[in-house]
mmCIF file with all atom_site columns, all heavy atoms in Angstrom:
data_model
loop_
_atom_site.group_PDB
_atom_site.id
_atom_site.type_symbol
_atom_site.label_atom_id
_atom_site.label_alt_id
_atom_site.label_comp_id
_atom_site.label_asym_id
_atom_site.label_entity_id
_atom_site.label_seq_id
_atom_site.pdbx_PDB_ins_code
_atom_site.Cartn_x
_atom_site.Cartn_y
_atom_site.Cartn_z
_atom_site.occupancy
_atom_site.B_iso_or_equiv
_atom_site.pdbx_formal_charge
_atom_site.auth_seq_id
_atom_site.auth_comp_id
_atom_site.auth_asym_id
_atom_site.auth_atom_id
_atom_site.pdbx_PDB_model_num
ATOM 1   N N   . SER A 1 42 ? 152.917 190.355 -94.645 1.00 96.00 ? 42 SER A N   1
ATOM 2   C CA  . SER A 1 42 ? 151.698 190.122 -95.429 1.00 96.00 ? 42 SER A CA  1
ATOM 3   C C   . SER A 1 42 ? 150.619 189.601 -94.482 1.00 96.00 ? 42 SER A C   1
ATOM 4   O O   . SER A 1 42 ? 149.463 190.023 -94.642 1.00 96.00 ? 42 SER A O   1
ATOM 5   C CB  . SER A 1 42 ? 151.950 189.114 -96.472 1.00 96.00 ? 42 SER A CB  1
ATOM 6   O OG  . SER A 1 42 ? 152.397 187.868 -95.957 1.00 96.00 ? 42 SER A OG  1
ATOM 7   N N   . ASP A 1 43 ? 150.911 188.887 -93.442 1.00 97.00 ? 43 ASP A N   1
ATOM 8   C CA  . ASP A 1 43 ? 149.887 188.420 -92.434 1.00 97.00 ? 43 ASP A CA  1
ATOM 9   C C   . ASP A 1 43 ? 149.420 189.694 -91.668 1.00 97.00 ? 43 ASP A C   1
ATOM 10  O O   . ASP A 1 43 ? 148.290 189.763 -91.412 1.00 97.00 ? 43 ASP A O   1
ATOM 11  C CB  . ASP A 1 43 ? 150.435 187.312 -91.512 1.00 97.00 ? 43 ASP A CB  1
ATOM 12  C CG  . ASP A 1 43 ? 150.677 186.001 -92.286 1.00 97.00 ? 43 ASP A CG  1
ATOM 13  O OD1 . ASP A 1 43 ? 150.144 185.852 -93.345 1.00 97.00 ? 43 ASP A OD1 1
ATOM 14  O OD2 . ASP A 1 43 ? 151.201 185.095 -91.522 1.00 97.00 ? 43 ASP A OD2 1
ATOM 15  N N   . LEU A 1 44 ? 150.405 190.432 -91.151 1.00 96.00 ? 44 LEU A N   1
ATOM 16  C CA  . LEU A 1 44 ? 150.025 191.648 -90.409 1.00 96.00 ? 44 LEU A CA  1
ATOM 17  C C   . LEU A 1 44 ? 149.140 192.543 -91.202 1.00 96.00 ? 44 LEU A C   1
ATOM 18  O O   . LEU A 1 44 ? 148.172 193.024 -90.688 1.00 96.00 ? 44 LEU A O   1
ATOM 19  C CB  . LEU A 1 44 ? 151.308 192.297 -89.901 1.00 96.00 ? 44 LEU A CB  1
ATOM 20  C CG  . LEU A 1 44 ? 151.079 193.561 -89.090 1.00 96.00 ? 44 LEU A CG  1
ATOM 21  C CD1 . LEU A 1 44 ? 150.316 193.210 -87.788 1.00 96.00 ? 44 LEU A CD1 1
ATOM 22  C CD2 . LEU A 1 44 ? 152.423 194.227 -88.781 1.00 96.00 ? 44 LEU A CD2 1
ATOM 23  N N   . ASP A 1 45 ? 149.497 192.742 -92.398 1.00 95.00 ? 45 ASP A N   1
ATOM 24  C CA  . ASP A 1 45 ? 148.638 193.698 -93.259 1.00 95.00 ? 45 ASP A CA  1
ATOM 25  C C   . ASP A 1 45 ? 147.276 193.127 -93.441 1.00 95.00 ? 45 ASP A C   1
ATOM 26  O O   . ASP A 1 45 ? 146.277 193.854 -93.288 1.00 95.00 ? 45 ASP A O   1
ATOM 27  C CB  . ASP A 1 45 ? 149.305 193.900 -94.671 1.00 95.00 ? 45 ASP A CB  1
ATOM 28  C CG  . ASP A 1 45 ? 150.588 194.613 -94.561 1.00 95.00 ? 45 ASP A CG  1
ATOM 29  O OD1 . ASP A 1 45 ? 150.749 195.404 -93.572 1.00 95.00 ? 45 ASP A OD1 1
ATOM 30  O OD2 . ASP A 1 45 ? 151.285 194.665 -95.586 1.00 95.00 ? 45 ASP A OD2 1
ATOM 31  N N   . ALA A 1 46 ? 147.152 191.774 -93.676 1.00 94.00 ? 46 ALA A N   1
ATOM 32  C CA  . ALA A 1 46 ? 145.823 191.208 -93.846 1.00 94.00 ? 46 ALA A CA  1
ATOM 33  C C   . ALA A 1 46 ? 144.930 191.281 -92.555 1.00 94.00 ? 46 ALA A C   1
ATOM 34  O O   . ALA A 1 46 ? 143.828 191.664 -92.517 1.00 94.00 ? 46 ALA A O   1
ATOM 35  C CB  . ALA A 1 46 ? 145.967 189.716 -94.197 1.00 94.00 ? 46 ALA A CB  1
ATOM 36  N N   . LEU A 1 47 ? 145.646 191.096 -91.291 1.00 93.00 ? 47 LEU A N   1
ATOM 37  C CA  . LEU A 1 47 ? 144.850 191.255 -90.073 1.00 93.00 ? 47 LEU A CA  1
ATOM 38  C C   . LEU A 1 47 ? 144.515 192.729 -89.741 1.00 93.00 ? 47 LEU A C   1
ATOM 39  O O   . LEU A 1 47 ? 143.446 192.919 -89.106 1.00 93.00 ? 47 LEU A O   1
ATOM 40  C CB  . LEU A 1 47 ? 145.677 190.630 -88.921 1.00 93.00 ? 47 LEU A CB  1
ATOM 41  C CG  . LEU A 1 47 ? 145.855 189.170 -89.060 1.00 93.00 ? 47 LEU A CG  1
ATOM 42  C CD1 . LEU A 1 47 ? 146.775 188.627 -87.955 1.00 93.00 ? 47 LEU A CD1 1
ATOM 43  C CD2 . LEU A 1 47 ? 144.570 188.373 -89.030 1.00 93.00 ? 47 LEU A CD2 1
ATOM 44  N N   . LEU A 1 48 ? 145.377 193.608 -90.139 1.00 93.00 ? 48 LEU A N   1
ATOM 45  C CA  . LEU A 1 48 ? 145.078 194.991 -89.863 1.00 93.00 ? 48 LEU A CA  1
ATOM 46  C C   . LEU A 1 48 ? 144.015 195.593 -90.874 1.00 93.00 ? 48 LEU A C   1
ATOM 47  O O   . LEU A 1 48 ? 143.492 196.642 -90.587 1.00 93.00 ? 48 LEU A O   1
ATOM 48  C CB  . LEU A 1 48 ? 146.403 195.923 -89.994 1.00 93.00 ? 48 LEU A CB  1
ATOM 49  C CG  . LEU A 1 48 ? 147.362 195.614 -88.920 1.00 93.00 ? 48 LEU A CG  1
ATOM 50  C CD1 . LEU A 1 48 ? 148.629 196.456 -89.142 1.00 93.00 ? 48 LEU A CD1 1
ATOM 51  C CD2 . LEU A 1 48 ? 146.794 195.911 -87.455 1.00 93.00 ? 48 LEU A CD2 1
ATOM 52  N N   . ASN A 1 49 ? 143.715 194.942 -91.896 1.00 90.00 ? 49 ASN A N   1
ATOM 53  C CA  . ASN A 1 49 ? 142.696 195.299 -92.907 1.00 90.00 ? 49 ASN A CA  1
ATOM 54  C C   . ASN A 1 49 ? 141.664 194.227 -93.122 1.00 90.00 ? 49 ASN A C   1
ATOM 55  O O   . ASN A 1 49 ? 141.686 193.624 -94.213 1.00 90.00 ? 49 ASN A O   1
ATOM 56  C CB  . ASN A 1 49 ? 143.475 195.613 -94.175 1.00 90.00 ? 49 ASN A CB  1
ATOM 57  C CG  . ASN A 1 49 ? 144.403 196.843 -93.991 1.00 90.00 ? 49 ASN A CG  1
ATOM 58  O OD1 . ASN A 1 49 ? 143.990 197.912 -93.672 1.00 90.00 ? 49 ASN A OD1 1
ATOM 59  N ND2 . ASN A 1 49 ? 145.686 196.488 -94.086 1.00 90.00 ? 49 ASN A ND2 1
ATOM 60  N N   . PRO A 1 50 ? 140.869 193.885 -92.118 1.00 86.00 ? 50 PRO A N   1
ATOM 61  C CA  . PRO A 1 50 ? 139.895 192.846 -92.258 1.00 86.00 ? 50 PRO A CA  1
ATOM 62  C C   . PRO A 1 50 ? 138.860 193.045 -93.333 1.00 86.00 ? 50 PRO A C   1
ATOM 63  O O   . PRO A 1 50 ? 138.600 194.312 -93.618 1.00 86.00 ? 50 PRO A O   1
ATOM 64  C CB  . PRO A 1 50 ? 139.239 192.724 -90.859 1.00 86.00 ? 50 PRO A CB  1
ATOM 65  C CG  . PRO A 1 50 ? 139.483 194.124 -90.263 1.00 86.00 ? 50 PRO A CG  1
ATOM 66  C CD  . PRO A 1 50 ? 140.744 194.682 -90.815 1.00 86.00 ? 50 PRO A CD  1
ATOM 67  N N   . PRO A 1 51 ? 138.335 192.096 -93.950 1.00 84.00 ? 51 PRO A N   1
ATOM 68  C CA  . PRO A 1 51 ? 137.336 192.234 -95.018 1.00 84.00 ? 51 PRO A CA  1
ATOM 69  C C   . PRO A 1 51 ? 136.082 192.823 -94.457 1.00 84.00 ? 51 PRO A C   1
ATOM 70  O O   . PRO A 1 51 ? 135.745 192.766 -93.308 1.00 84.00 ? 51 PRO A O   1
ATOM 71  C CB  . PRO A 1 51 ? 137.132 190.848 -95.526 1.00 84.00 ? 51 PRO A CB  1
ATOM 72  C CG  . PRO A 1 51 ? 137.558 189.950 -94.415 1.00 84.00 ? 51 PRO A CG  1
ATOM 73  C CD  . PRO A 1 51 ? 138.600 190.667 -93.683 1.00 84.00 ? 51 PRO A CD  1
ATOM 74  N N   . GLU A 1 52 ? 135.346 193.596 -95.327 1.00 78.00 ? 52 GLU A N   1
ATOM 75  C CA  . GLU A 1 52 ? 134.155 194.240 -94.963 1.00 78.00 ? 52 GLU A CA  1
ATOM 76  C C   . GLU A 1 52 ? 133.013 193.314 -94.436 1.00 78.00 ? 52 GLU A C   1
ATOM 77  O O   . GLU A 1 52 ? 132.266 193.693 -93.695 1.00 78.00 ? 52 GLU A O   1
ATOM 78  C CB  . GLU A 1 52 ? 133.692 195.159 -96.113 1.00 78.00 ? 52 GLU A CB  1
ATOM 79  C CG  . GLU A 1 52 ? 134.605 196.380 -96.414 1.00 78.00 ? 52 GLU A CG  1
ATOM 80  C CD  . GLU A 1 52 ? 134.077 197.175 -97.528 1.00 78.00 ? 52 GLU A CD  1
ATOM 81  O OE1 . GLU A 1 52 ? 132.855 197.088 -97.866 1.00 78.00 ? 52 GLU A OE1 1
ATOM 82  O OE2 . GLU A 1 52 ? 134.934 197.879 -98.007 1.00 78.00 ? 52 GLU A OE2 1
ATOM 83  N N   . TYR A 1 53 ? 133.014 192.163 -94.941 1.00 72.00 ? 53 TYR A N   1
ATOM 84  C CA  . TYR A 1 53 ? 131.942 191.205 -94.540 1.00 72.00 ? 53 TYR A CA  1
ATOM 85  C C   . TYR A 1 53 ? 131.875 190.946 -93.056 1.00 72.00 ? 53 TYR A C   1
ATOM 86  O O   . TYR A 1 53 ? 130.879 190.560 -92.531 1.00 72.00 ? 53 TYR A O   1
ATOM 87  C CB  . TYR A 1 53 ? 132.008 189.868 -95.348 1.00 72.00 ? 53 TYR A CB  1
ATOM 88  C CG  . TYR A 1 53 ? 133.088 188.897 -95.017 1.00 72.00 ? 53 TYR A CG  1
ATOM 89  C CD1 . TYR A 1 53 ? 133.055 188.164 -93.928 1.00 72.00 ? 53 TYR A CD1 1
ATOM 90  C CD2 . TYR A 1 53 ? 134.257 188.828 -95.817 1.00 72.00 ? 53 TYR A CD2 1
ATOM 91  C CE1 . TYR A 1 53 ? 134.052 187.296 -93.487 1.00 72.00 ? 53 TYR A CE1 1
ATOM 92  C CE2 . TYR A 1 53 ? 135.250 187.895 -95.527 1.00 72.00 ? 53 TYR A CE2 1
ATOM 93  C CZ  . TYR A 1 53 ? 135.138 187.220 -94.431 1.00 72.00 ? 53 TYR A CZ  1
ATOM 94  O OH  . TYR A 1 53 ? 136.136 186.339 -94.071 1.00 72.00 ? 53 TYR A OH  1
ATOM 95  N N   . LEU A 1 54 ? 133.013 191.152 -92.382 1.00 66.00 ? 54 LEU A N   1
ATOM 96  C CA  . LEU A 1 54 ? 133.049 190.944 -90.966 1.00 66.00 ? 54 LEU A CA  1
ATOM 97  C C   . LEU A 1 54 ? 132.158 191.883 -90.146 1.00 66.00 ? 54 LEU A C   1
ATOM 98  O O   . LEU A 1 54 ? 131.590 191.619 -89.127 1.00 66.00 ? 54 LEU A O   1
ATOM 99  C CB  . LEU A 1 54 ? 134.437 191.077 -90.320 1.00 66.00 ? 54 LEU A CB  1
ATOM 100 C CG  . LEU A 1 54 ? 135.377 189.879 -90.732 1.00 66.00 ? 54 LEU A CG  1
ATOM 101 C CD1 . LEU A 1 54 ? 136.752 190.149 -90.149 1.00 66.00 ? 54 LEU A CD1 1
ATOM 102 C CD2 . LEU A 1 54 ? 134.855 188.583 -90.348 1.00 66.00 ? 54 LEU A CD2 1
ATOM 103 N N   . ASP A 1 55 ? 131.896 193.068 -90.720 1.00 67.00 ? 55 ASP A N   1
ATOM 104 C CA  . ASP A 1 55 ? 130.995 194.040 -90.205 1.00 67.00 ? 55 ASP A CA  1
ATOM 105 C C   . ASP A 1 55 ? 129.553 193.610 -90.295 1.00 67.00 ? 55 ASP A C   1
ATOM 106 O O   . ASP A 1 55 ? 128.724 194.089 -89.512 1.00 67.00 ? 55 ASP A O   1
ATOM 107 C CB  . ASP A 1 55 ? 131.174 195.415 -90.895 1.00 67.00 ? 55 ASP A CB  1
ATOM 108 C CG  . ASP A 1 55 ? 132.474 196.041 -90.629 1.00 67.00 ? 55 ASP A CG  1
ATOM 109 O OD1 . ASP A 1 55 ? 133.199 195.717 -89.637 1.00 67.00 ? 55 ASP A OD1 1
ATOM 110 O OD2 . ASP A 1 55 ? 132.957 196.857 -91.448 1.00 67.00 ? 55 ASP A OD2 1
ATOM 111 N N   . ASP A 1 56 ? 129.276 192.660 -91.234 1.00 65.00 ? 56 ASP A N   1
ATOM 112 C CA  . ASP A 1 56 ? 127.947 192.241 -91.428 1.00 65.00 ? 56 ASP A CA  1
ATOM 113 C C   . ASP A 1 56 ? 127.465 191.101 -90.543 1.00 65.00 ? 56 ASP A C   1
ATOM 114 O O   . ASP A 1 56 ? 126.347 190.708 -90.505 1.00 65.00 ? 56 ASP A O   1
ATOM 115 C CB  . ASP A 1 56 ? 127.743 191.874 -92.899 1.00 65.00 ? 56 ASP A CB  1
ATOM 116 C CG  . ASP A 1 56 ? 127.922 193.065 -93.768 1.00 65.00 ? 56 ASP A CG  1
ATOM 117 O OD1 . ASP A 1 56 ? 127.781 194.161 -93.453 1.00 65.00 ? 56 ASP A OD1 1
ATOM 118 O OD2 . ASP A 1 56 ? 128.377 192.820 -95.021 1.00 65.00 ? 56 ASP A OD2 1
ATOM 119 N N   . ILE A 1 57 ? 128.435 190.629 -89.752 1.00 63.00 ? 57 ILE A N   1
ATOM 120 C CA  . ILE A 1 57 ? 128.121 189.458 -88.852 1.00 63.00 ? 57 ILE A CA  1
ATOM 121 C C   . ILE A 1 57 ? 127.510 189.940 -87.654 1.00 63.00 ? 57 ILE A C   1
ATOM 122 O O   . ILE A 1 57 ? 128.213 190.670 -86.849 1.00 63.00 ? 57 ILE A O   1
ATOM 123 C CB  . ILE A 1 57 ? 129.382 188.569 -88.615 1.00 63.00 ? 57 ILE A CB  1
ATOM 124 C CG1 . ILE A 1 57 ? 129.964 188.004 -89.952 1.00 63.00 ? 57 ILE A CG1 1
ATOM 125 C CG2 . ILE A 1 57 ? 129.108 187.472 -87.596 1.00 63.00 ? 57 ILE A CG2 1
ATOM 126 C CD1 . ILE A 1 57 ? 131.219 187.281 -89.708 1.00 63.00 ? 57 ILE A CD1 1
ATOM 127 N N   . ALA A 1 58 ? 126.358 189.533 -87.320 1.00 66.00 ? 58 ALA A N   1
ATOM 128 C CA  . ALA A 1 58 ? 125.552 189.953 -86.076 1.00 66.00 ? 58 ALA A CA  1
ATOM 129 C C   . ALA A 1 58 ? 126.101 189.222 -84.824 1.00 66.00 ? 58 ALA A C   1
ATOM 130 O O   . ALA A 1 58 ? 126.490 188.007 -84.946 1.00 66.00 ? 58 ALA A O   1
ATOM 131 C CB  . ALA A 1 58 ? 124.081 189.724 -86.183 1.00 66.00 ? 58 ALA A CB  1
#
Side-chain angles (χ1 to χ4, degrees):
S42 60
D43 286 351
L44 180 60
D45 290 344
L47 293 174
L48 292 176
N49 299 294
E52 291 180 19
Y53 71 79
L54 290 180
D55 294 334
D56 298 333
I57 297 175

